[in-house]
Amino acid sequence: MMSSLGGSEKMATIFFCIVLFLATSVSSASLKVGFYKSSCPSAEMIVRKAVNKAVSKNPGLAAGLIRMHFHDCFVRGCDGSVLLDSTPGNPSEKESPVNNPSLRGFEVIDEAKAEIEAQCPQIVSCADVLAFAARDSAYKVGGINYAVPSGRRDGRVSLKDEPTLHLPPPFFNAKQLEENFARKGLSLDEMVTLSGAHSIGVSHCSSFSNRLYSFNATHPQDPSMDPEFARYLKTKCPPSSNTGSDPTVPLEFWTPNRLDSKYYKDLKNHRGLLTSDQTLFDSPSTKRMVKNNARYGANWGNKYAAAMVRMGAIDVLTGTKGEIRKHCRVVNYR
């Protein structure tokens, strides 16, 4: 008997299966789902438990952990380098203005890693713990679950200056974002899909205040921003000359602690917070993708899962490369 699925739903299901197959295939050469099944079978459950506990107390940590995984993978690949503390004479990625003071959730990784080490010493990498935590955060606040291929090993180098060389700044336009993600092997659609993670989390006013007060010589305020939205933002973000603080506002206002496709609806209504958000709707190359993600939320969730798997395979260390750190903040002594 023919399935009762409608034509568009069938196509969405087929598309997701193809994307998931491709995503898994890309990483399967070096990573494997269930990598710790024999060596540390409780590893993923320990991470999920730590994430659930932390996010239940502070929902904002879900965005922090997803962002941390992204910042890890785009700098030296997914090798846990973002987790390393600075050492004398060597400031680490944590000290980059891109990460400090905004990156958060390190204590969740530390807690999960400590419990794993107590059960399975030097088996599970910090890079994998972070990949699991990003997945578990998406599941906790968005119901998006996916299998994480694992087997990453940890890098031994973390440099303060590298994040700004690899991570896209909030003022990038769609073309610049496309090129930035392409350098990491990710497609235009994957870039738009992963940008949907901005449906949770917050941004400092300094990341978008130019859109409110100093956009260009003709328009102090960005004309592409909804005027009512701009008025609201100005109440939260006064001109920088009036205060020494840098307040934060939610990246998406409807459901700031729910990972969903409402982010794309905001873009359609010209309520994208960052230039790098709103450009996705304003650019002809990505406008249709935004509209489709806004309309088909479940399909976006499937694409997000597949894109996270792809991102999690960027320049990974496997086999005998790198190491398995005992503590995620420091490299092993040799």
Side-chain angles (χ1 to χ4, degrees), residues 194-208:
L194 290 171
S195 295
H198 280 183
S199 77
I200 54 175
V202 298
S203 172
H204 285 274
C205 292
S206 58
S207 293
F208 60 87

Side-chain angles (χ1 to χ4, degrees), residues 24-248:
T24 306
S25 297
V26 167
S27 60
S28 62
S30 54
L31 303 178
K32 177 184 176 182
V33 172
F35 183 83
Y36 300 109
K37 186 176 182 180
S38 300
S39 59
C40 191
S42 59
E44 293 193 46
M45 186 54 65
I46 289 172
V47 177
R48 178 158 289 194
K49 182 180 176 183
V51 169
N52 286 345
K53 183 176 78 169
V55 175
S56 292
K57 292 179 181 177
N58 180 1
L61 284 175
L65 290 166
I66 292 171
R67 182 167 177 254
M68 190 188 298
H69 183 42
F70 168 59
H71 282 216
D72 185 37
C73 291
F74 267 52
V75 181
R76 292 186 167 269
C78 312
D79 69 343
S81 59
V82 73
L83 302 171
L84 288 170
D85 285 343
S86 298
T87 56
N90 180 37
S92 70
E93 293 172 30
K94 284 183 178 180
E95 304 307 318
S96 168
V98 177
N99 293 328
N100 183 21
S102 60
L103 217 55
R104 54 193 172 143
F106 293 105
E107 69 282 1
V108 183
I109 303 301
D110 290 340
E111 180 181 331
K113 175 64 169 174
E115 187 169 344
I116 288 173
E117 283 296 300
Q119 296 191 24
C120 321
Q122 281 194 274
I123 297 293
V124 182
S125 69
C126 297
D128 277 342
V129 171
L130 181 51
F132 295 148
R135 182 268 313 276
D136 297 335
S137 296
Y139 183 59
K140 176 69 173 174
V141 300
I144 300 173
N145 201 13
Y146 54 95
V148 175
S150 50
R152 299 166 189 81
R153 288 171 66 86
D154 298 321
R156 292 179 55 85
V157 177
S158 182
L159 302 174
K160 175 184 176 180
D161 294 337
E162 290 194 337
T164 53
L165 299 176
H166 296 277
L167 289 163
F171 54 78
F172 263 13
N173 61 35
K175 184 62 177 175
Q176 291 170 311
L177 289 169
E178 179 182 6
E179 292 169 350
N180 178 271
F181 276 66
R183 284 194 291 271
K184 304 300 178 183
L186 298 173
S187 71
L188 181 63
D189 188 64
E190 286 169 331
M191 179 274 287
V192 175
T193 297
L194 290 171
S195 295
H198 280 183
S199 77
I200 54 175
V202 298
S203 172
H204 285 274
C205 292
S206 58
S207 293
F208 60 87
S209 58
N210 67 301
R211 301 185 68 201
L212 301 176
Y213 302 109
S214 57
F215 186 66
N216 61 32
T218 307
H219 302 283
Q221 181 175 301
D222 186 345
S224 72
M225 182 181 283
D226 172 61
E228 183 181 346
F229 184 51
R231 283 194 295 273
Y232 169 77
L233 290 176
K234 287 179 178 179
T235 67
K236 300 295 183 182
C237 302
S240 57
S241 59
N242 294 351
T243 175
S245 65
D246 190 6
T248 60

